[in-house]
Structure formats: C-alpha cells, structure tokens
Amino acid sequence: MNKTIFDTAQQAVEKIAQEFKMYSEQAQPVHISLSGGSTPKLLFKTLAQSPYNTEINWKNLHFWWGDERMVEPTDPESNYGEVQALLFDHIDIPAENIHRVLGEKEVQGELIRFEQEITDCVPNQEFDWVILGMGIDGHTASLFPNQTDFDDERLATIAEHPETKQLRISKTAQLIEKAKRITYLVTGQSKAVIINQIFANDPKAQSYPAARIKASNGNTEWYLDKEASELL
C-alpha cells in the first residue's frame, strides 16, 4: 500500500487542497466523494481560504459523501451541513454540483433516490476520487467491522451505528472500490495502533473495512501525519 507521511495534519490537507485545484482544471466534470470527521474539517477550512477559494474552478467539481447520518442538514451531526458551513458558504459553486444524501427523508426511499442519482450523474458509477477517513475501530464511511457486506452489489446501503444505533446511508464497499482513486486521510495518535496493524498485515486488520476496501482498478493511498504513523 502506498503511504505518504506528513509532519502535520495541516500539511496533509494542504496536499489534498492542491490536488483539488489540479482536478478542477480537467476538461470534464470531476466527481469527488468526501468524508466526515475531524481532519476533513481542517481540509474544508483550508479550501475556503485564499488561494484555494478563488483559484479552484469549483464549477468543474461535483461533491458527494461516503456516508451521511439520517438527520436534518442543519443538525450538527450532518456531514453535508458541516461542509456547507465550512466551505460551500464561502465559495462560488453551482447548487447542482452538490449531491447530498437527504438525511431528513425516510431512509428506504432516500436510499433508492441516492442510488439513482449516482447512476444518472457518475459515468459508470466510477468516482474520480474518494477521500475516506478511518475510525478508531477501523471503520470507514459507515461500513463497520463485523457489519459490512463486502459483496453487496448495490451502490449504497443502510447502516446502523453499532453503539448509538443511529441510521446512516453509506456507499457500499463495492461502489467505493470502483473509484479511480481512493485516499485514506488519517491523522492523530488515536489511530496509530490500527495503522500499524494494517501496514503490518496483522490478522486483526482483516476485520477492519478500512484495511480491506481498495480501488479495484485504480490507486489506493494513505495520507498520514506523524502521530498516526508513529508506530510504523
């Protein structure tokens, strides 16, 4: 697995921000799947500032989410709401480029609608870039250990948080693996043990969706800060 270790989380998100600019200069629309969590907050704040807020051709970028909680977009737990407040409210991006899961809707109906939107908008259902985080239990998106069907051929699935029982809609492992590029953005000392297990091919890591989900025909890479990689 390819990994790049940065001194700080800020350096990691700066690298991703620079790549957003490169993607935005392509001739065709680019479909990017975002992640929730603490490190992406840093990314969104960085993108909302100069020079990225004005130099990126936002009209060429289409944004999706790896997962979303079934809550109102104004709820503090909404992944979309977080990006709206930290980034979208500060840049010039067409509304039609934002493809959110409607967390306020009934979950079964929204699952069907979301899958149809992916089918209609994303060529061959192959995302150009999927940015993922990783929880301290090894989950990614809302694909949790011992709950994930890695053979699910649907585009999205209804997931339940193992502790809170909160409902979410998540991209499936198979859809994520169709992406042209997958980047795991993982920072912080709390992730160091699991990162070490993944890169050491520890048998325990086979239960972690983040260890198993990789691009089938594209590139998979890990962007780590020093704290997350300290045991490597």
Side-chain angles (χ1 to χ4, degrees):
M1 290 183 289
N2 296 324
K3 67 179 182 295
T4 304
I5 298 173
F6 299 86
D7 284 340
T8 64
Q10 181 63 43
Q11 288 180 0
V13 302
E14 288 278 356
K15 172 71 168 147
I16 289 180
Q18 292 162 14
E19 292 170 345
F20 268 57
K21 184 174 185 298
M22 288 166 48
Y23 273 111
S24 78
E25 293 165 355
Q26 293 188 12
Q28 69 279 356
V30 177
H31 293 272
I32 299 174
S33 180
L34 301 173
S35 171
S38 56
T39 308
K41 285 184 186 179
L42 190 58
L43 171 63
F44 305 140
K45 290 176 182 177
T46 299
L47 288 166
Q49 299 170 0
S50 179
Y52 306 110
N53 58 345
T54 56
E55 288 188 356
I56 290 173
N57 179 17
W58 296 105
K59 294 178 175 59
N60 211 31
L61 301 181
H62 285 252
F63 291 105
W64 305 73
W65 280 261
D67 66 325
E68 181 60 282
R69 301 172 178 92
M70 299 309 291
V71 296
E72 296 281 340
T74 53
D75 190 291
E77 292 229 303
S78 169
N79 284 337
Y80 158 75
E82 185 171 83
V83 185
Q84 181 187 35
L86 296 177
L87 177 59
F88 295 151
D89 286 348
H90 308 282
I91 59 174
D92 182 17
I93 185 168
E96 60 267 25
N97 287 29
I98 300 170
H99 305 269
R100 75 178 183 93
V101 174
L102 306 180
E104 68 274 22
K105 300 291 188 182
E106 186 276 322
V107 66
Q108 292 284 353
E110 176 57 13
L111 176 71
I112 294 168
R113 188 208 66 80
F114 182 59
E115 287 185 309
Q116 189 60 54
E117 185 169 1
I118 293 172
T119 300
D120 292 344
C121 298
V122 182
N124 302 313
Q125 295 87 58
E126 293 178 6
F127 283 83
D128 295 286
W129 193 12
V130 175
I131 301 170
L132 295 170
M134 184 189 72
I136 56 173
D137 60 354
H139 85 266
T140 192
S142 280
L143 303 173
F144 296 98
N146 307 312
Q147 285 185 204
T148 299
D149 180 358
F150 293 96
D151 298 319
D152 187 350
E153 295 183 353
R154 293 193 64 162
L155 303 181
T157 185
I158 297 170
E160 184 180 274
H161 189 280
E163 294 175 3
T164 67
K165 307 304 179 186
Q166 181 189 59
L167 290 180
R168 292 116 178 264
I169 286 177
S170 176
K171 288 186 171 73
T172 59
Q174 291 220 2
L175 175 63
I176 294 170
E177 289 176 339
K178 290 178 68 174
K180 297 174 184 176
R181 178 186 181 191
I182 295 173
T183 301
Y184 285 94
L185 175 61
V186 182
T187 63
Q189 195 173 31
S190 64
K191 312 291 177 65
V193 171
I194 287 186
I195 289 294
N196 183 52
Q197 290 173 341
I198 290 173
F199 280 89
N201 293 315
D202 188 312
K204 293 178 185 175
Q206 279 307 298
S207 68
Y208 305 148
R212 293 181 57 179
I213 296 173
K214 304 170 186 175
S216 300
N217 299 303
N219 296 320
T220 303
E221 64 199 347
W222 291 74
Y223 283 6
L224 310 169
D225 70 350
K226 273 192 172 178
E227 289 186 350
S229 63
E230 69 177 12
L231 299 179
L232 294 180

